[in-house]
Amino acid sequence: DTGVSQNPRHKITKRGQNVTFRCDPISEHNRLYWYRQTLGQGPEFLTYFQNEAQLEKSRLLSDRFSAERPKGSFSTLEIQRTEQGDSAMYLCASSWGHDDTEAFFGQGTRLTVV
Amino acid sequence: KNQVEQSPQSLIILEGKNCTLQCNYTVSPFSNLRWYKQDTGRGPVSLTIMTFSENTKSNGRYTATLDADTKQSSLHITASQLSDSASYICVVSALRGANNLFFGTGTRLTVIP
């Protein structure tokens, strides 16, 4: 297992276009998180899955954002009608089981909206 | 309100010198505290994790301390190397809640030759 994998690593898109990112967590990790990080800031929570169930969504996740984890394995994050303010690093993390287990992060997807 | 604050915001040190980064938190109920290293353009990588009962934990040249009474933690880097240049993020976990990870904004460390 090579850790949490995110694709693509970089995405440049025009304002108004839709984009979709993929996260493949570590095998058998039941928890999956999406975060957004802007330059010089710590990651901000977007949403959380336990298996295939999306248990929590941040208020940052406007109706233009949608996340899925259909089979409890990989997850996708889609942004519709992108805006310049969506430009950020989108990080995915996964963990197993209990609260004190480590969250492993992917390399992130850098989105630039022009 | 659950918050994590880090200081300094940025730090520049000479190669070979030591430095200490600070993290104060108000997260409750507390589960654990982790320090992550994040290289530019990459995801965070865990350095240490400490639970309530642990006062100190080392990982090579990195030593983290935790004072659960004052809700403070520090990360000490010994004999810094150029490759230590990165952002160091303090993450505190709460015992409950799906969104139970609270992030500091990080300290940007630059090690110069």
Side-chain angles (χ1 to χ4, degrees):
Chain A
D1 194 298
T2 57
V4 179
S5 176
Q6 290 188 246
N7 288 288
R9 289 291 312 279
H10 305 277
K11 178 70 176 178
I12 300 174
T13 190
K14 291 183 178 179
R15 190 171 48 189
Q17 297 295 305
N18 299 343
V19 294
T20 300
F21 311 141
R22 176 177 171 127
C23 172
D24 288 89
I26 293 173
S27 298
E28 299 185 5
H29 274 193
N30 59 340
R31 295 183 169 198
L32 188 146
Y33 304 80
W34 283 100
Y35 294 88
R36 182 174 70 185
Q37 186 178 28
T38 53
L39 200 61
Q41 299 297 313
E44 298 173 294
F45 172 77
L46 291 179
T47 190
Y48 160 72
F49 289 86
Q50 184 155 317
N51 300 311
E52 66 275 9
Q54 187 174 20
L55 296 186
E56 188 165 337
K57 293 194 295 184
S58 162
R59 282 171 291 180
L60 292 174
L61 214 67
S62 74
D63 56 6
R64 295 185 298 106
F65 287 71
S66 63
E68 295 182 343
R69 195 183 183 196
K71 297 181 180 179
S73 56
F74 74 91
S75 176
T76 57
L77 177 67
E78 181 183 15
I79 309 174
Q80 296 181 326
R81 304 181 304 281
T82 52
E83 302 173 356
Q84 285 189 321
D86 297 331
S87 296
M89 173 79 87
Y90 290 84
L91 291 167
C92 175
S94 71
S95 67
W96 167 252
H98 303 294
D99 292 332
D100 60 351
T101 58
E102 178 183 347
F104 292 84
F105 285 84
Q107 300 278 35
T109 294
R110 166 72 65 188
L111 173 65
T112 302
V113 181
V114 298
Chain B
K1 184 179 179 182
N2 292 315
Q3 284 186 314
V4 179
E5 294 183 351
Q6 292 188 241
S7 62
Q9 191 172 33
S10 62
L11 183 62
I12 301 174
I13 62 172
L14 290 173
E15 186 179 10
K17 297 296 186 182
N18 303 336
C19 67
T20 300
L21 314 180
Q22 299 290 343
C23 174
N24 298 337
Y25 62 92
T26 59
V27 177
S28 181
F30 175 84
S31 176
N32 61 72
L33 184 148
R34 310 164 201 186
W35 284 93
Y36 283 85
K37 178 185 179 187
Q38 185 176 24
D39 293 315
T40 301
R42 294 185 171 271
V45 175
S46 179
L47 294 175
T48 65
I49 178 170
M50 287 185 292
T51 59
F52 186 87
S53 60
E54 295 175 300
N55 301 118
T56 185
K57 185 166 281 188
S58 292
N59 177 3
R61 295 180 296 102
Y62 301 101
T63 300
T65 65
L66 174 65
D67 186 333
D69 292 330
T70 61
K71 299 186 177 182
Q72 296 180 326
S73 175
S74 66
L75 180 69
H76 186 75
I77 304 174
T78 305
S80 60
Q81 300 176 358
L82 297 179
S83 60
D84 293 332
S85 295
S87 288
Y88 292 83
I89 302 175
C90 175
V91 182
V92 182
S93 295
L95 271 176
R96 290 185 290 273
N99 174 26
N100 68 326
L101 299 180
F102 297 91
F103 289 78
T105 55
T107 293
R108 178 69 203 174
L109 175 66
T110 303
V111 181
I112 58 175

